[in-house]
Amino acid sequence: MSFSKKRVWVIVLAIMIATVALAYLSRNGTNPVSKAVNSVITPVESQLSKVIHPVRKVFSYIGKMEEYEAENQRLKQENIELNARIKDVSTYKEENERLRKLLGITNEYEYETVAARVVSYETDNWFSYITLDKGTSNGIDVSDTVITSDGLLGQVTEVGVNWAKVSTVINSESSAGVRITRNGEIGIVEGDTMLSKSRKCRLGYLTANASIIAGDILETSGLGGIYPPGLPVGKISEISKDNMGRLDYAIIEPFVNFDKLYEVVVITGWSVPQAAEIPVDTIQPQQEQPEENQPEAVNDENQNVG
Amino acid sequence: MRNLKITLWVVAIALIESMFGTYIKIGEIMPDLLFVFVLCYAAEKNTVSSTITVSVICGALADCFSGRIFGNNLAIFLICAVLMWMIKENIFKSGILVSLLLIFVLSVFGKSMYFVSNISVLKNVGYLYSLFRIILPEALFNTVISAIMLPLLRLTLKKRSGLYT
């Protein structure tokens, strides 16, 4: 190997050591290089996205005209059914408010929010992150919850002055504490690399004697204090059983359409309400629960349970 | 002028990748445009210093966009670019087909490195699944993109004398 080639590898090694050092120094926060680059790039992307989003919407609409027509018919039918249910719901709402007052939980669902625009999407085939055009100057902070009109989108993992990175619920690094609306069972929705390709995630860690069926609706439980409670997450699309016929895991189809993300809402300043403390004994991995219909526990020390 | 052209290439590719990446997917797989650019640049027998500079900048950009640990892409881009430069400099000195084949092989190598470096957070996925469902399709996609990018890059960065220094 000639001197120049040796020098090449020395330079490569030096750069890699410097990179590792930089990554290590900024392990607890956003990297300074990342902050600087995103602060410059995001406004450009934001301006471009203002032009590009309407064009995308038009093409998306033309491409799915038939689908929208069918959806319109279905929604009309649903509207008729929902109108019939309004009377029942208003009765429950009154009762709910009355009971809440009784329990002293008054502000649980009153969040401060910031509207933001999605300016860029994931850039690799492994992880699902998006970038928003708002940051600390708008009150957004790391760990803030991000939602769309459909439901939970994810959590802010990095933030700069005018940008924020969001790890979506289908990301393999994400997990969220959820409750099944039908029966109140709690569990954990986790991202899964294989399922994320089809924009899905998996449900595990259900409580003892949990019963789930395809079509069950999930909402955030608030347990763990990362996500506020009551945010729609998705529905169970498939239940997988192991060779013994026991519940292995359930596949969740999130309500959020990850291919049509334009505007989102960031919930800022939410803190754990006193009523949402984790009853630790209610969340147990499956290995420790030999009963039937228990999901397999997927243990990962890196996960955050919201 | 040449540096300006390279900068424009990098900025354009970075913006296309971050804003349209999800729209150029085929079968849920999207190409890594910045990685392809780095390999194409290295394959074009540029100087080693410029190859290192371009790979570091593109790797850093990829890390900034990824939302993950800084340095992961940078290291992979750098190693693959230097390997490409050395192979092109010492073994296979010319030929676009050789470049495309090397881009495919280095894509598989680079993305395998990415898988290994992220194995702790990639849940429920093994190497074989990743190889056949993500790494190989992406490498193939990268090669197709590079078949378009290589001649364009050659055209835009060509000096009047027709030689690179």
Side-chain angles (χ1 to χ4, degrees), chain A residues 5 9 19 23 31 38 45 52 56 120-122 124-125 127 129 158 165 172-173 192 194 197, chain B residues 18-20 23 25 28 30 52 64-68 70-71 74 86 90 114 121 123-124 129 138:
Chain A
K5 280 176 195 167
W9 287 113
T19 307
N31 188 290
N38 280 302
E45 288 178 328
I52 291 160
R56 274 185 193 150
S120 70
Y121 305 86
E122 69 233 28
D124 68 28
N125 292 307
F127 299 99
Y129 287 88
E158 265 189 278
K165 290 260 181 233
S172 66
E173 291 178 300
D192 181 295
M194 284 197 271
K197 300 267 109 216
Chain B
S18 66
M19 297 187 74
F20 298 103
Y23 293 89
K25 277 182 176 176
E28 296 301 326
M30 58 181 167
I52 289 174
C64 293
F65 290 138
S66 75
R68 305 210 65 260
F70 187 84
L74 194 155
M86 286 191 158
N90 301 305
Y114 192 80
V121 286
K123 287 177 196 163
N124 309 315
Y129 173 88
E138 187 184 330

Side-chain angles (χ1 to χ4, degrees), chain A residues 146-171:
Chain A
V146 184
I147 57 172
T148 71
S149 55
D150 297 323
L152 180 69
L153 173 64
Q155 189 188 26
V156 175
T157 53
E158 265 189 278
V159 68
V161 178
N162 52 1
W163 59 274
K165 290 260 181 233
V166 178
S167 172
T168 67
V169 286
I170 58 168
N171 197 359

Side-chain angles (χ1 to χ4, degrees), chain A residues 147-212:
Chain A
I147 57 172
T148 71
S149 55
D150 297 323
L152 180 69
L153 173 64
Q155 189 188 26
V156 175
T157 53
E158 265 189 278
V159 68
V161 178
N162 52 1
W163 59 274
K165 290 260 181 233
V166 178
S167 172
T168 67
V169 286
I170 58 168
N171 197 359
S172 66
E173 291 178 300
S174 296
S175 54
V178 292
R179 177 178 282 118
I180 297 168
T181 53
R182 181 175 56 84
N183 55 16
E185 300 282 358
I186 59 168
I188 296 172
V189 163
E190 294 179 310
D192 181 295
T193 309
M194 284 197 271
L195 293 173
S196 69
K197 300 267 109 216
S198 51
R199 306 301 201 197
K200 289 175 181 172
C201 43
R202 67 161 65 200
L203 170 68
Y205 285 90
L206 284 160
T207 53
N209 305 317
S211 83
I212 59 171

Side-chain angles (χ1 to χ4, degrees), chain A residues 105-129:
Chain A
I105 307 167
T106 50
N107 293 323
E108 197 179 336
Y109 293 97
E110 290 175 12
Y111 311 121
E112 287 174 34
T113 57
V114 174
R117 186 192 296 268
V118 176
V119 292
S120 70
Y121 305 86
E122 69 233 28
T123 50
D124 68 28
N125 292 307
W126 307 85
F127 299 99
S128 176
Y129 287 88

